[in-house]
Amino acid sequence: MPQHPHAPCGTPQAAAPARSLPRRDMRDAARGPLPPPATALTSQPTQQSLELAQRYELLTRLGVPTVANEDFDDLARDMAEKADFLYGFVNLFLEKQTFVGLHQPPADSGYVIVGRTMSRGHGWCPEVMTRKKALPLHDVHASPRFSGNAVVDAVGIRSYFGAPLIHDSGTVLGTVCVIDPEKRSLAEARRLRDIVINAGAQVMDHITRVPVR
């Protein structure tokens, strides 16, 4: 089992905005659904605009909240604890990556405290959205393709495991993922990949079958 260092990571606010995650906002600042602004839909490429509109339509029909939610926080925490990772996310791809479910270290832990949103181009979840299948990175620096990422420096990530949230209609709503400042062994990769795949299935089952608090 990896031992997490107690030395604080550099806070993301100290980095340039393009390389950082926003700090945690007031999680209860908004509770209602977030309608898609018309400007966002018209300013994006046609395919992305269509996918975003489909995503919003499905989320609205299912009654899925697009803000911080206790049910999704619980699912993110359960996934992170099973994987023994510091951070866990249930991530909807809206105008930004929106972490409706979030588990992370306590504010006084010395680790980076992340916010509830992030640019759509940061991290490795955009790759998961494109691939429509799980992405296991036991050591992000083992692959040049995935080592150069704004989030690596902002949070000090060494390992990432993510899986897509795909509705039966084929619409990809977002991802679930875990990240950690400790790399994992290659021997652990299959088990950790299975944890996030199962978590993704659990999230989709939850939002399609059970009313969300």
Side-chain angles (χ1 to χ4, degrees):
M1 180 178 298
Q3 298 296 318
H4 299 296
H6 293 287
C9 299
T11 62
Q13 286 184 328
R19 298 178 60 80
S20 66
L21 288 173
R23 292 187 66 83
R24 180 166 51 194
D25 300 321
M26 296 291 291
R27 66 170 281 167
D28 296 321
R31 283 289 178 181
L34 181 64
T39 54
L41 294 179
T42 56
S43 63
Q44 295 179 2
T46 303
Q47 183 61 32
Q48 288 189 13
S49 298
L50 177 60
E51 291 174 355
L52 183 58
Q54 290 174 338
R55 210 166 287 139
Y56 269 113
E57 188 279 330
L58 181 57
L59 290 170
T60 300
R61 178 155 52 87
L62 294 173
V64 179
T66 55
V67 294
N69 179 267
E70 291 180 7
D71 286 346
F72 292 138
D73 283 349
D74 290 344
L75 289 166
R77 182 181 66 251
D78 181 65
M79 174 177 56
E81 289 178 347
K82 286 179 178 177
D84 192 28
F85 273 52
L86 285 181
Y87 302 84
F89 304 84
V90 177
N91 179 14
L92 298 180
F93 263 65
L94 306 175
E95 283 76 22
K96 295 181 178 181
Q97 297 184 59
T98 303
F99 307 138
V100 293
L102 174 61
H103 172 74
Q104 61 182 328
D108 61 353
S109 66
Y111 291 101
V112 172
I113 302 303
V114 303
R116 286 280 180 174
T117 62
M118 185 171 71
S119 167
R120 286 169 59 97
H122 285 179
W124 298 275
C125 286
E127 178 75 14
V128 174
M129 294 288 289
T130 300
R131 293 159 57 106
K132 298 184 180 179
K133 62 181 182 180
L135 176 63
L137 298 175
H138 70 285
D139 181 359
V140 299
H141 294 306
S143 170
R145 178 181 178 186
F146 297 114
S147 62
N149 195 297
V151 185
V152 174
D153 294 330
V155 185
I157 298 171
R158 288 299 303 274
S159 52
Y160 167 95
F161 288 79
L165 298 174
I166 305 177
H167 187 257
D168 289 342
S169 64
T171 300
V172 186
L173 296 175
T175 66
V176 294
C177 71
V178 290
I179 60 174
D180 198 87
E182 289 289 324
K183 67 179 181 179
R184 298 304 197 264
S185 69
L186 186 57
E188 290 184 275
R190 181 181 293 274
R191 179 184 69 85
L192 295 170
R193 183 201 62 181
D194 289 346
I195 287 174
V196 295
I197 289 175
N198 291 336
Q202 186 178 5
V203 169
M204 289 307 305
D205 183 70
H206 185 76
I207 68 178
T208 55
R209 297 177 185 274
V210 182
V212 183
R213 294 200 301 265

